[in-house]
Amino acid sequence: MVTFLPVPIPSKIVCVGRNYADHAKELGNVLPTEPLLFLKPPSALIPHAAPIHLPAVSQHVEHEAELGVVLGKTLHQASEAEARAAILGITCVNDVTARDLQKRDGQWTRAKGFDTFCPVGPHMLLVDVTCDLDAFEILGRVNGALRQHGVVREMHFSIPRLLSYISSIMTLYPHDLVATGTPAGVGPLHAGDQVEVEIPGVGTLSNPVIHPPETSR
Ligand code: ZN
């Protein structure tokens, strides 16, 4: 039986950089010897169909289509088997990134952390331990044109390895979200674009891209 639920609000969003060889290469990076982690703030979350706001301080915002893992149990210094058994569901994540600010800052908090920079959804597919995570595909499209296509089995670090590693640093709580990295094909977003992240069997997350509405100061 296939069960879909709304994506719960996480206490934190843990993201993984350079987890696909072809994506690391396209940005001129080598593959890390340990998972490369960063955080996105929960304030960046938006649901399916909500607009992504292009910040005025960036001239280069990109999409990153990713598979998101939602935790169902607390994980602290967990083995890979314990980590695998703690997965509640999977969903689509767009790790929207201001690429120019990422390069300029060194630290990625600003580039990855703007409001609206974490579209998630449209819902969560519940998975149990019999589900073959390695078979899931991740597709990224802009205005209907395919830009990204990856398969979980191509990941440099597997999902259980990532969760086990993260849990050796910070305790993961139920509903925490882990974005597992993006395959090759990242590219710029412009106002008026419609960007999609699809995981066949899970769903399609689609969001328009806009300049933020004028705010009175
Ligand atoms: Zn990413």
Side-chain angles (χ1 to χ4, degrees):
M1 193 182 76
V2 176
T3 306
F4 296 109
L5 286 177
V7 183
I9 301 292
S11 80
K12 56 186 169 297
I13 305 160
V14 187
C15 303
V16 181
R18 300 171 195 164
N19 199 30
Y20 288 84
D22 52 356
H23 170 64
K25 196 172 163 190
E26 75 177 342
L27 294 184
N29 297 309
V30 294
L31 280 170
T33 55
E34 295 178 296
L36 174 62
L37 304 181
F38 59 96
L39 294 166
K40 281 172 100 82
S43 48
L45 287 166
I46 54 170
H48 173 70
I52 297 165
H53 292 179
L54 295 173
V57 293
S58 171
Q59 308 333 304
H60 191 153
V61 173
E62 294 195 332
H63 56 87
E64 293 191 0
E66 307 198 7
L67 181 141
V69 175
V70 178
L71 270 292
K73 294 177 186 161
T74 298
L75 279 185
H76 172 69
Q77 299 188 345
S79 67
E80 292 187 26
E82 289 165 341
R84 175 64 188 83
I87 297 172
L88 176 65
I90 62 174
T91 190
C92 308
V93 178
N94 193 342
D95 173 20
V96 181
T97 303
R99 197 69 72 201
D100 49 353
L101 304 183
Q102 184 186 25
K103 288 176 181 154
R104 195 189 310 167
D105 289 354
Q107 298 286 331
W108 299 359
T109 304
R110 179 167 68 143
K112 300 278 194 177
F114 285 96
D115 289 355
T116 77
F117 268 29
C118 196
V120 169
H123 44 234
M124 168 176 68
L125 171 71
L126 292 189
V127 297
D128 63 19
V129 287
T130 65
C131 178
D132 179 13
L133 298 180
D134 285 345
F136 282 108
E137 294 178 70
I138 303 102
L139 298 96
R141 292 189 199 86
V142 177
N143 303 326
L146 187 67
R147 294 250 191 106
Q148 299 188 263
H149 182 207
V151 183
V152 170
R153 73 171 60 84
E154 297 170 351
M155 285 181 183
H156 184 46
F157 299 107
S158 72
I159 289 171
R161 171 90 177 93
L162 291 173
L163 298 179
S164 170
Y165 181 79
I166 294 165
S167 82
S168 75
I169 301 157
M170 62 188 85
T171 301
L172 287 166
Y173 296 114
H175 301 171
D176 278 356
L177 177 65
V178 176
T180 54
T182 200
V186 298
L189 293 172
H190 302 101
D193 285 347
Q194 188 77 23
V195 59
E196 286 179 3
V197 178
E198 180 184 1
I199 301 176
V202 177
T204 301
L205 168 69
S206 185
N207 300 86
V209 180
I210 66 168
H211 290 298
E214 294 289 329
T215 51
S216 54
R217 291 160 203 269

